[in-house]
């Protein structure tokens, strides 16, 4: 007999809400993690992109809150590295429960967030820097928090964000339950969370459990990896030719540089290609509009930075393009993982120069994937092996 959400202890009311959203059976990560969280365990769990990590922690925590007395005190604090992911988490909460929650993110008016906190929400979702600011202003009571969730913990403990995240960990009371998740987990993340638990309860140094859920090997079995060589100045023309040749149904384009987002979008639009883009510099309301249009399928192409690579669940992305490549495999994994979700297949393509192709070959060995070289020729995307007499010097990006 297969496991159900009811078997895992989730209330029938929440299960009914899940069914209305087409979710009828727990995923492997949910099956493993939900009972542990219900037992009040402190865990860091690793599971591949698209495996249902957010609901794995939300379902038992929401169930717990709904079974408690309505105290009006803050109980659950969820920390996210981006506005987009925080908004998605809030939407998922509202899809399964009426429990009050507030979104507290930097870059938005703090006065409105303080006003929302006066309504005494039981759940607060936001960035570590803004949450720390609200604690310092005594608008958010850290001692009330009984559970802290670090969604995309690896990113929250990256060099750019780790100071605020560690400071937040230090401010919480000694009995707080700590839950973290990510598709990739570094040794630094493991060590930091282990030390955090040791500092909270010296008599229980082994309280933090690390769980890795067996993957379905989506990166290797569901995603086809392509490589297209292009010098830096030719990359956008190559992207445009790729779009004309492949006609992707739903494409997300990643670039490392925020200034390149606008450049790519303007050059694609000049050639009448329907697309939009956003980066950290884009107004949050505009980012939400573009992301909602892309999510619904009204916008076929979205150009962005790694803001959209972590945790976001956007259905039916058929193709991912990486316009540059980092030597860090976690960035590659999170970007590629935007496609091939919910059992579907997809394509991840790197458009890179000589240096990036070298990094890609190292990534191929490290991750155990197979990369297929592709070229654009007479308006078509081909494999060089299809035309052995064809030379790369004739690559058509017009």
């Amino acid at each position: 007999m297969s496991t159900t959400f009811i078997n895992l202890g989730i209330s029938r009311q929440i299960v009914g809400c899940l069914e209305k959203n087409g979710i009828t059976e727990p995923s492997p990560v949910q099956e493993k993690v939900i009972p542990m969280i219900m037992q009040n365990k402190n865990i860091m769990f690793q599971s591949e992109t698209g495996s249902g990590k957010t609901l794995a922690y939300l379902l038992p925590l929401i169930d717990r809150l709904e079974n408690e007395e309505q105290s009006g005190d803050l109980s659950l604090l969820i920390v996210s590295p981006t506005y987009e992911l925080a908004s998605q988490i809030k939407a998922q909460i509202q899809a399964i429960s009426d429990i009050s929650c507030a979104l507290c993110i930097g870059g938005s008016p703090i006065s409105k967030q303080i006003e929302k906190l006066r309504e005494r929400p039981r759940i607060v979702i936001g960035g570590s820097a803004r949450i720390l600011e609200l604690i310092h202003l005594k608008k958010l009571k850290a001692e009330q928090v009984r559970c802290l969730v670090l969604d995309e913990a690896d990113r929250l403990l990256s060099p750019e964000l780790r100071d605020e995240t560690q400071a937040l960990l230090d401010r919480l009371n000694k009995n707080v339950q700590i839950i973290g998740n990510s598709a990739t987990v570094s040794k630094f993340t493991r060590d930091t969370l282990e030390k955090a638990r040791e500092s909270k309860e010296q008599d229980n140094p082994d309280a933090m459990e690390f769980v890795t859920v067996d993957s379905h090997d989506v990166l290797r079995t569901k995603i086809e990896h392509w490589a297209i060589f292009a010098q830096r100045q030719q990359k956008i023309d190559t992207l445009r030719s790729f779009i004309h040749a492949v006609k992707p149904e739903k494409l997300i384009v990643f670039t490392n540089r925020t200034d390149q987002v606008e450049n790519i979008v303007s050059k694609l639009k000049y050639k009448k290609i329907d697309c939009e883009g956003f980066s950290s510099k884009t107004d949050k309301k505009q980012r939400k509009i573009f992301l909602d249009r892309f999510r619904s399928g009204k916008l076929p192409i979205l150009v962005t930075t790694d803001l959209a690579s972590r945790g976001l669940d956007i259905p039916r992305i058929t193709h991912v393009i990486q316009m540059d490549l980092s030597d860090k495999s976690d960035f590659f994994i999170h970007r590629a993982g935007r496609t091939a979700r919910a059992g579907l297949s997809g394509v991840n393509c790197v458009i890179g120069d000589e240096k990036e192709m070298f990094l890609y070959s190292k990534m191929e060995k490290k991750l155990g994937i197979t990369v297929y070289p592709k070229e654009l020729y007479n308006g078509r995307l081909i494999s060089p092996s299809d035309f052995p007499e064809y030379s790369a010097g004739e690559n058509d990006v017009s």
Side-chain angles (χ1 to χ4, degrees), residues 224 226-229 349 372-376 381-384 386:
E224 188 168 337
W226 296 350
I228 300 177
F229 176 82
C349 179
Y372 298 93
K374 300 287 181 179
E375 294 177 4
L376 289 154
L381 188 73
I382 65 168
S383 298
D386 295 340

Side-chain angles (χ1 to χ4, degrees), residues 166 169-170 178 188-202 205 208 210:
Q166 287 183 310
L169 282 166
D170 292 341
I178 298 176
F188 181 84
T189 298
R190 291 174 62 105
D191 291 346
T192 301
L193 293 183
E194 198 153 16
K195 287 176 184 175
R197 280 315 307 170
E198 288 174 0
S199 67
K200 300 297 179 189
E201 291 187 10
Q202 296 291 345
M208 177 62 68
F210 294 90

